[in-house]
Amino acid sequence: MKELLDFLKRLSENNNKPWFDEHKSEYLEAKKTFDSFALDFMHGVEEFDPRVHGLQLKDITYRIYRDLRFTLDKRPYKTWMGVYVCPKGKKSGMAGYYIHMEPDNDEYFLAAGLYNPTKEVVKSVREEIMLEGEHFHETLEQCKDFTLPWDEALKKVPKGYDENDKYSQYYRLKTYTLLKPVSRKQLLAKDFLKKALADLKRCYDYNETLNRCFDYAMEEG
């Protein structure tokens, strides 16, 4: 894994096609290492979340090539790697389990939950909180060392929701991602994957609640 992180770091310093072409063999070797890790992670998640069965490598990993069509940043390559295991694959919009590696910014983390859900899904989650707030809170309590994105939340409880509800603060959330930072040293430890899976397994009830809300939103849609 160290070789993978070292390659990504050097790529961030030489983010251009000539350099990448010259070091393509190193990239392919790094990708081979990461793909093996990603599959091991997926199989580990399968053991506690039956919804994710049937996925393939392409459903859980991302291409290194950036989409340059709608951005002023024309650097051609991503300098991070991530693996996202969720029902129906990474493009489904459903809650899942994620590992992120970005040595350029020394940013490594685990994540669970919903990232940038549609307004219909957010509405469904808020209705769940309104009806089953105690259960929603309990699922979060199981993930105490993960944090919610309060810095992106609304300043006030949105219209249509009672600010006097016991768990009204959760109505303010616009996205329902849980994050847990890890260090480079932790990532490179031999037992990292085992510990990461144990941490993310505690988020299963939270994800399952969110995915039921996702299902309800799709049915209503």
Side-chain angles (χ1 to χ4, degrees):
M1 192 67 76
K2 182 179 182 299
E3 291 76 11
L4 166 65
L5 300 184
D6 289 345
F7 174 81
L8 290 173
K9 181 67 173 177
R10 287 188 292 122
L11 176 59
S12 70
E13 298 164 353
N14 303 275
N15 200 331
N16 59 77
K17 190 175 187 303
W19 186 91
F20 187 83
D21 288 346
E22 185 179 345
H23 296 82
K24 188 69 173 286
S25 61
E26 294 173 50
Y27 163 66
L28 292 175
E29 196 63 32
K31 183 177 183 299
K32 183 178 177 181
T33 297
F34 183 77
D35 287 350
S36 177
F37 172 85
L39 288 172
D40 288 343
F41 177 59
M42 181 185 74
H43 295 317
V45 173
E46 285 177 334
E47 293 183 7
F48 61 81
D49 191 335
R51 282 189 183 238
V52 306
H53 282 283
L55 299 177
Q56 300 178 41
L57 187 63
K58 64 182 177 62
D59 301 318
I60 63 174
T61 56
Y62 302 86
R63 298 173 73 247
I64 198 166
Y65 306 98
R66 298 180 66 241
D67 185 348
L68 305 179
R69 293 174 298 172
F70 309 109
T71 177
L72 295 176
D73 182 354
K74 298 304 180 182
R75 290 176 297 176
Y77 308 107
K78 297 169 185 170
T79 56
W80 55 269
M81 285 191 174
V83 50
Y84 184 47
V85 178
C86 73
K88 302 179 183 179
K90 61 180 187 268
K91 295 181 180 180
S92 69
M94 300 184 74
Y97 313 86
Y98 180 71
I99 298 177
H100 185 84
M101 306 175 186
E102 190 171 355
D104 184 35
N105 296 317
D106 199 28
E107 187 174 15
Y108 312 96
F109 60 82
L110 311 179
L114 288 168
Y115 176 70
N116 284 346
T118 65
K119 62 181 181 180
E120 293 81 9
V121 174
V122 170
K123 179 175 181 289
S124 182
V125 175
R126 287 171 177 166
E127 288 173 351
E128 173 73 15
I129 295 165
M130 186 187 302
L131 297 171
E132 299 290 345
E134 188 71 34
H135 172 74
F136 186 84
H137 180 72
E138 287 173 358
T139 66
L140 283 167
E141 286 291 290
Q142 296 172 33
C143 318
K144 270 190 170 178
D145 47 348
F146 287 76
T147 58
L148 284 165
W150 290 111
D151 56 329
E152 301 174 24
L154 299 170
K155 295 187 183 301
K156 296 181 179 180
V157 171
K159 286 184 178 180
Y161 300 92
D162 189 348
E163 63 181 15
N164 295 313
D165 285 355
K166 184 176 180 181
Y167 299 109
S168 62
Q169 72 269 25
Y170 296 131
Y171 296 147
R172 297 194 292 113
L173 292 167
K174 296 185 291 184
T175 187
Y176 293 87
T177 308
L178 290 171
L179 291 179
K180 179 179 180 179
V182 295
S183 68
R184 179 187 172 97
K185 182 178 180 180
Q186 289 173 313
L187 181 68
L188 293 176
K190 290 182 178 180
D191 61 351
F192 169 71
L193 184 56
K194 179 180 178 181
K195 288 184 175 180
L197 286 165
D199 283 338
L200 290 167
K201 183 178 181 179
R202 292 187 284 105
C203 301
Y204 168 75
D205 286 341
Y206 178 68
N207 273 357
E208 182 60 15
T209 298
L210 293 176
N211 280 330
R212 285 201 308 272
C213 294
F214 180 92
D215 291 341
Y216 294 150
M218 294 303 102
E219 289 171 7
E220 291 181 3

